[in-house]
Amino acid sequence: MSDLTKTVSDSSLTHLAIIMDGNGRWAKRRGLPRVAGHQQGVEAVTRIVDECVRSGIRFLSLFAFSSENWGRPQQEVDALMGLLLQYLSSQRQKMLSEGIRLKVIGDRNRLSEMVRTALADAEKETSQGQSLTLVLALSYGGRDEIMRAAKKIAQDALDGQLDIEQLDNKSFSAFLDTGDIPEPDLLIRTSGEVRISNFLLWQAAYAEFYFTDVFWPDFDAEELHKAINVYQQRKRRFGLTEDQVGLAIKESND
Ligand code: FPP
């Protein structure tokens, strides 16, 4: 069986990615400051991480702060960084006891030294976690990630460490921040917006998309399972024909 048909015949959900959107609107509707929406957003993060562990999902990627979010008012940027630091310290024990491994993707150079250190410490401490890998996208942009990968590749080629002729999709992927993480199977975006907004551009090439009007602070286990049920009804073809997919599934069941 080829790698592709093997992928087609496997309908399990290994990697879930989420664009957590709608914190500001959730707060505005209640006459609250935007940061109150972000605080509730952190509660939703905790709920969904717990549910992913319970459901046996192996990778959860959360778009927590985009490259473009640096342009928000300084007060909101500071509040988001503060919430991130609080999250890391409040979840530390649980991450260790439940085997949750933290991995950060994005351009860390733009983060403050305090945030960088807290993230590096948490990644190191949780590195042996075997249940869920929690991928936090921070100061992250898909184009920026691809550009940084291209620069590394060019440098390695100039240094004589890489033969450009040998470069293919798989070896290119290894230069991305996501390295050896499998590609996302399902990408959820909350709050009614129907865009990818520069998240996992390369990796989401064959992801299934699920959009919901629910604002992120209201997203819970029930909403997650609605999305998973829809995903399980989808027929993933990865560019193959329906007959080839049917055959791959039959072969894997035999
Ligand atoms: C989008 O809502 C959300 C963000 C830009 C930040 C997401 C951050 C969190 C959920 C909290 C911090 C995360 C962790 C992991 C501790 P928005 O502000 O763009 O909402 P709007 O479109 O309604 O204005």
Side-chain angles (χ1 to χ4, degrees):
M1 212 189 301
S2 72
D3 275 359
L4 198 55
T5 43
K6 213 160 44 198
T7 311
V8 166
S9 64
D10 179 9
S11 62
S12 61
L13 174 51
T14 302
H15 183 174
L16 169 66
I18 308 183
I19 301 177
M20 310 179 287
D21 199 6
N23 294 352
R25 279 164 287 163
W26 181 95
K28 198 171 174 196
R29 299 239 170 131
R30 288 162 177 78
L32 297 169
R34 291 178 57 82
V35 68
H38 295 315
Q39 279 162 347
Q40 287 307 306
V42 177
E43 299 297 318
V45 167
T46 308
R47 280 197 298 274
I48 296 309
V49 167
D50 288 349
E51 194 54 27
C52 285
V53 172
R54 260 197 295 275
S55 306
I57 291 171
R58 303 295 312 283
F59 297 88
L60 171 66
S61 293
L62 299 176
F63 204 1
F65 193 88
S66 73
S67 326
E68 291 69 34
N69 288 156
W70 289 114
R72 291 196 175 194
Q74 192 58 41
Q75 199 191 12
E76 186 171 337
V77 172
D78 292 344
L80 282 165
M81 294 300 151
L83 286 171
L84 172 67
L85 290 172
Q86 262 176 32
Y87 177 80
L88 293 175
S89 69
S90 70
Q91 299 302 302
R92 180 179 169 271
Q93 230 9 281
K94 190 175 77 184
M95 291 178 96
L96 292 172
S97 63
E98 299 200 356
I100 299 170
R101 174 171 76 116
L102 180 76
K103 179 176 170 67
V104 176
I105 59 171
D107 182 1
R108 293 172 194 239
N109 294 330
R110 295 183 75 183
L111 297 165
S112 73
E113 188 158 354
M114 194 202 275
V115 171
R116 276 205 306 263
T117 305
L119 291 169
D121 288 350
E123 283 181 309
K124 197 167 163 209
E125 259 194 309
T126 62
S127 63
Q128 300 306 312
Q130 295 286 331
S131 63
L132 174 75
T133 297
L134 172 61
V135 182
L136 287 186
L138 291 163
S139 189
Y140 176 87
R143 285 181 177 175
D144 175 65
E145 180 192 31
I146 293 168
M147 184 78 79
R148 285 185 286 109
K151 285 182 182 171
K152 274 188 250 161
I153 289 167
Q155 192 59 56
D156 282 2
L158 284 173
D159 294 345
Q161 287 169 12
L162 182 91
D163 175 3
I164 287 293
E165 288 308 314
Q166 299 298 315
L167 198 64
D168 58 13
N169 283 338
K170 199 167 171 201
S171 50
F172 188 96
S173 298
F175 281 89
L176 296 169
D177 296 346
T178 41
D180 53 0
I181 292 176
E183 293 184 357
D185 300 296
L186 171 64
L187 194 154
I188 296 175
R189 183 172 188 150
T190 58
S191 91
E193 308 294 347
V194 187
R195 310 186 272 280
I196 190 166
S197 295
N198 208 9
F199 190 39
L200 301 178
L201 288 184
W202 170 281
Q203 300 86 338
Y206 286 100
E208 294 293 324
F209 287 77
Y210 177 87
F211 298 100
T212 170
D213 288 340
V214 173
F215 291 140
W216 176 249
D218 291 328
F219 198 80
D220 58 13
E222 194 183 336
E223 294 298 332
L224 173 64
H225 286 289
K226 270 191 216 167
I228 294 175
N229 287 339
V230 169
Y231 167 77
Q232 282 165 343
Q233 307 304 315
R234 300 261 177 94
K235 282 206 175 91
R236 303 182 78 188
R237 295 199 356 221
F238 299 91
L240 301 183
T241 69
E242 208 172 350
D243 288 351
Q244 285 174 302
V245 174
L247 191 66
I249 293 171
K250 190 175 169 299
E251 271 179 26
S252 71
N253 289 334
D254 286 345

